[in-house]
């Protein structure tokens, strides 16, 4: 049978893909449908037809699945941020656990490893300590804040994201009212005009300290002190900054920061370690799950105080400092100079002296250092970006012959690829623990323990 674009068909959803889209079949022809749940029976409009599959848009639910729940966010369908709000939380956890296992088995060809149950949250909403709101305008030309619709740069108005902190709404309201009053224009991407591009808000989970950073397409923000006077009246306000980004780019933050009021940073704790956080710092967005993740890293590292440990892609030293409490010496490598400076400051702030940080690409710094010093590592911790590790880096790790590798991943597909490569280099995957760092989304963090098969 030939299926045509823009025709409406009745479809039963029987599966879900890696991106959280429901999948149903018409006489064996698979259709991928956003916003549907396994068990849904629905009217679906075909919007794209390929040779062996198609994409559909949900028109009407005929019979909702038992797994379906009512999303807490009023714009869940339009917004591109939360792909799984229609699923019950237990179903979300099952989806993520299966995603990790399928990738490790299919891509990584892994066998004989122990997959632990995913570590979920008791309250899977209001967990994000960081939010970045693009600023645009409505049909009347008034400034609005929200999030981009999926696969577009069209802003869906939403000031109260349900996975973000409640304080964000009040902060945005002050800024938007200020912009209206002083006729400060939102940024227009299509012609690179207007001033205010984004609002960045960060909050310390334990300290409650709040940072607000206004990202502008200009050199200065008019009436900035007046805005600061209004924002500083809000509870726990600690830092108010302006960031200049005049580039035609999708990158949110520019390089120039100006302090308008308060401190240039906020602080927060992971466990009993205090970290200094600037607008440019990478810091895990889910503090509750971060502590659980790092405990699992420490468990897998199995340190007794005599080990040499390398923490590659170390950021501002969050994992490095945890490891240093249990190790003889920790070396951290990070490509972002500002992050390395923060890592050194964080070590000093916490009185941790058995750490040393290097600036540069892990795949360049690590091999050079090893070539010069020939000092073996007992444990290597990897926490790479989504693209995973360079093969040359994995080769150097294998040559160094650490007893254990602890791999922290935000993309189980590239994790699986690297696990396969490490397997070919003599390392066996022993244990895997998924951690739900990002409830309501398809993203899942994974911690793996690999061990050298034969110790020389």
């Amino acid at each position: 049978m030939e299926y045509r674009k823009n025709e409406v068909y009745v479809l039963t959803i029987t599966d879900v893909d890696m991106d959280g889209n429901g999948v149903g079949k018409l006489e064996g022809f698979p259709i991928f449908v956003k916003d549907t749940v396994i068990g849904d029976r629905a009217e679906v409009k075909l919007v794209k037809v390929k040779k062996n599959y198609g994409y559909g848009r949900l028109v009407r639910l005929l019979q909702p699945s038992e797994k379906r729940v009512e999303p807490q966010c009023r714009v869940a369908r339009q917004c591109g941020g939360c792909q799984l709000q229609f699923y019950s939380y237990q179903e979300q956890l099952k989806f993520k656990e299966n995603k990790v296992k399928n990738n490790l088995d299919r891509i990584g060809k892994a066998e004989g490893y122990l997959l632990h149950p995913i570590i979920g949250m008791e309250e899977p909403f209001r967990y994000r300590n960081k939010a970045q709101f693009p600023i645009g305008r409505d049909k009347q030309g008034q400034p609005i804040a929200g999030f981009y619709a999926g696969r577009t740069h069209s802003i869906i108005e939403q000031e109260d994201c349900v996975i973000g902190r409640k304080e964000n709404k009040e902060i945005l309201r002050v800024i938007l009212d200020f912009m209206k009053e002083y006729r400060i224009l939102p940024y227009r991407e299509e012609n690179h005009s207007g001033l205010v591009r984004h609002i960045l808000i960060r909050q310390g989970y334990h300290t409650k300290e709040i940072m607000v950073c206004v990202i502008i397409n200009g050199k200065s923000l008019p009436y900035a002190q007046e805005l600061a006077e209004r924002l500083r009246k809000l509870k726990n306000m600690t830092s108010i900054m302006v960031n200049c980004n005049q580039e035609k780019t999708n990158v949110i933050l520019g390089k120039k920061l100006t302090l308008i009021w308060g401190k240039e940073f906020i602080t927060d704790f992971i466990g009993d370690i205090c970290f200094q956080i600037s607008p440019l710092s990478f810091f895990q967005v889910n503090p509750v799950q971060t502590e659980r993740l790092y405990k699992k890293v420490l468990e897998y590292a199995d340190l007794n105080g005599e080990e040499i440990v390398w923490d590659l892609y170390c950021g501002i030293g969050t994992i490095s400092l945890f490891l240093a409490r249990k190790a003889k010496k920790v070396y951290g490598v990070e490509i972002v100079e500002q992050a390395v400076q923060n890592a050194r400051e964080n070590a000093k702030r916490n009185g941790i002296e058995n750490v040393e940080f290097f600036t540069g690409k892990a795949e360049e710094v690590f091999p050079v250092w090893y070539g010069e010093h020939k000092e073996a590592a007992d444990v290597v911790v990897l926490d790479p970006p989504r693209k995973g590790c360079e093969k040359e880096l994995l080769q150097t790790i294998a040559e160094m012959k650490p007893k254990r590798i602890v791999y922290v991943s935000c993309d189980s597909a590239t994790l699986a690829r690297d696990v396969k490569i490490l397997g070919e280099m003599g390392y066996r995957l022993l244990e895997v623990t998924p951690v739900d760092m990002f409830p309501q989304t398809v993203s899942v963090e994974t911690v793996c323990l690999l061990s050298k098969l034969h110790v020389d």
Side-chain angles (χ1 to χ4, degrees):
M1 181 177 177
E2 182 180 350
Y3 298 103
R4 297 181 179 179
K5 182 179 176 180
N6 295 325
E7 291 287 331
V8 175
Y9 299 91
V10 174
L11 195 66
T12 298
I13 304 300
T14 57
D15 203 353
V16 61
D17 72 3
M18 292 294 189
D19 296 319
N21 299 306
V23 184
K25 291 184 178 180
L26 295 171
E27 297 182 345
F29 185 77
I31 309 292
F32 297 84
V33 189
K34 181 178 173 290
D35 305 322
T36 57
V37 171
I38 293 175
D40 280 345
R41 184 169 174 78
E43 288 183 351
V44 173
K45 182 178 182 179
L46 274 183
V47 295
K48 187 182 291 186
V49 181
K50 299 286 188 178
K51 183 178 179 180
N52 298 315
Y53 60 92
Y55 291 96
R57 178 174 60 82
L58 175 63
V59 175
R60 184 164 65 100
L61 276 175
L62 301 176
Q63 185 177 344
S65 167
E66 292 180 356
K67 298 178 173 99
R68 175 178 282 274
V69 297
E70 188 66 26
Q72 290 195 20
C73 177
R74 61 179 177 80
V75 294
R77 280 193 67 177
Q78 301 98 306
C79 177
C82 295
Q83 304 87 13
L84 298 180
Q85 267 201 54
F86 299 95
Y87 275 95
S88 70
Y89 188 53
Q90 287 306 310
E91 289 297 324
Q92 291 183 35
L93 295 179
K94 286 181 187 177
F95 163 79
K96 295 183 183 189
E97 206 171 280
N98 288 334
K99 181 177 182 177
V100 171
K101 185 179 188 305
N102 290 340
N103 280 332
L104 287 171
D105 293 352
R106 181 174 54 85
I107 301 172
K109 308 299 181 186
E111 297 178 348
Y113 63 92
L114 177 61
L115 176 63
H116 293 282
I118 186 170
I119 300 174
M121 295 192 74
E122 291 75 22
E123 177 47 59
F125 291 96
R126 301 293 182 187
Y127 60 84
R128 285 188 64 97
N129 59 12
K130 176 184 177 183
Q132 297 173 138
F133 293 88
I135 303 299
R137 62 190 76 200
D138 61 19
K139 293 179 180 179
Q140 288 73 44
Q142 296 299 315
I144 60 170
F147 297 97
Y148 293 125
R151 304 179 188 276
T152 77
H153 271 206
S154 174
I155 296 176
I156 303 298
E157 187 175 3
Q158 172 61 297
E159 298 171 17
D160 188 24
C161 173
V162 297
I163 63 173
R165 307 297 295 174
K166 288 183 177 180
E167 292 84 352
N168 292 344
K169 182 178 180 180
E170 188 177 13
I171 292 167
L172 288 173
R173 187 41 42 204
V174 169
I175 296 172
L176 293 173
D177 287 346
F178 164 81
M179 290 177 64
K180 291 176 186 177
E181 183 176 340
Y182 288 95
R183 298 184 179 181
I184 295 173
L185 297 178
Y187 180 65
R188 296 187 69 170
E189 188 176 18
E190 56 267 30
N191 59 10
H192 196 54
S193 65
L195 186 65
V196 179
R197 300 177 71 138
H198 280 80
I199 305 299
L200 167 66
I201 304 172
R202 307 190 81 151
Q203 182 174 13
Y205 177 76
H206 293 284
T207 63
K208 308 302 181 186
E209 295 176 354
I210 294 174
M211 167 182 288
V212 174
C213 185
V214 183
I215 296 97
I216 60 171
N217 175 42
K219 295 181 179 179
S220 63
L221 177 66
Y223 309 103
Q225 289 302 324
E226 172 59 27
L227 176 61
E229 284 299 315
R230 299 182 186 191
L231 286 172
R232 64 184 288 188
K233 295 176 183 177
L234 301 182
K235 186 178 180 182
N236 298 317
M237 189 59 61
T238 306
S239 173
I240 303 170
M241 306 186 80
V242 170
N243 176 264
C244 175
N245 182 1
Q246 294 180 272
E247 302 295 321
K248 293 181 180 179
T249 176
N250 291 334
V251 176
I252 292 175
L253 287 165
K255 294 179 180 179
K256 183 183 177 184
L257 284 166
T258 302
L259 180 67
I260 303 302
W261 177 84
K263 298 189 296 184
E264 294 183 339
F265 58 86
I266 60 172
T267 58
D268 203 10
F269 289 84
I270 302 176
D272 61 351
I273 300 177
C274 182
F275 293 93
Q276 182 175 302
I277 307 161
S278 75
L280 299 171
S281 300
F282 173 80
F283 194 74
Q284 292 282 9
V285 301
N286 187 333
V288 173
Q289 294 296 84
T290 296
E291 291 197 21
R292 293 167 175 170
L293 177 78
Y294 288 5
K295 284 179 181 178
K296 185 57 65 172
V297 170
L298 279 174
E299 177 189 324
Y300 283 173
D302 192 23
L303 304 176
N304 61 26
E306 298 300 319
E307 294 87 357
I308 302 297
V309 182
W310 279 83
D311 178 17
L312 306 181
Y313 312 96
C314 69
I316 63 171
T318 48
I319 293 179
S320 302
L321 300 187
F322 267 75
L323 295 168
R325 292 281 182 87
K326 302 285 186 178
K328 179 179 180 181
K329 179 81 174 188
V330 176
Y331 298 99
V333 183
E334 170 58 46
I335 192 171
V336 180
E337 173 63 35
Q338 180 63 48
V340 172
Q341 291 177 16
N342 288 343
R344 291 169 179 153
E345 291 164 1
N346 286 326
K348 186 176 180 180
R349 173 185 290 268
N350 290 278
I352 298 174
E353 298 179 347
N354 59 330
V355 290
E356 188 173 348
F357 295 101
F358 302 95
T359 303
K361 292 182 178 179
E363 53 267 25
E364 294 175 359
V365 172
F366 189 49
V368 169
W369 190 94
Y370 179 60
E372 292 176 353
H373 296 82
K374 297 299 181 184
E375 181 180 9
D378 299 295
V379 178
V380 171
V381 176
L382 299 167
D383 188 6
R386 189 167 294 278
K387 67 178 182 178
C389 298
E390 298 289 340
K391 189 171 182 178
E392 293 77 11
L393 175 63
L394 299 178
Q395 183 66 52
T396 302
I397 293 171
E399 290 173 5
M400 192 179 272
K401 300 176 183 178
K403 300 183 186 74
R404 293 177 296 284
I405 298 172
V406 182
Y407 196 133
V408 182
S409 171
C410 59
D411 188 319
S412 56
T414 55
L415 165 69
R417 178 202 67 201
D418 291 349
V419 163
K420 186 173 186 291
I421 294 171
L422 287 167
E424 294 165 353
M425 295 176 178
Y427 283 85
R428 178 186 173 192
L429 180 64
L430 296 182
E431 295 188 38
V432 178
T433 303
V435 181
D436 190 21
M437 294 285 284
F438 314 102
Q440 317 307 325
T441 80
V442 295
S443 298
V444 56
E445 205 87 359
T446 311
V447 191
C448 295
L449 171 63
L450 298 97
S451 178
K452 187 165 176 55
L453 289 172
H454 304 289
V455 179
D456 298 335

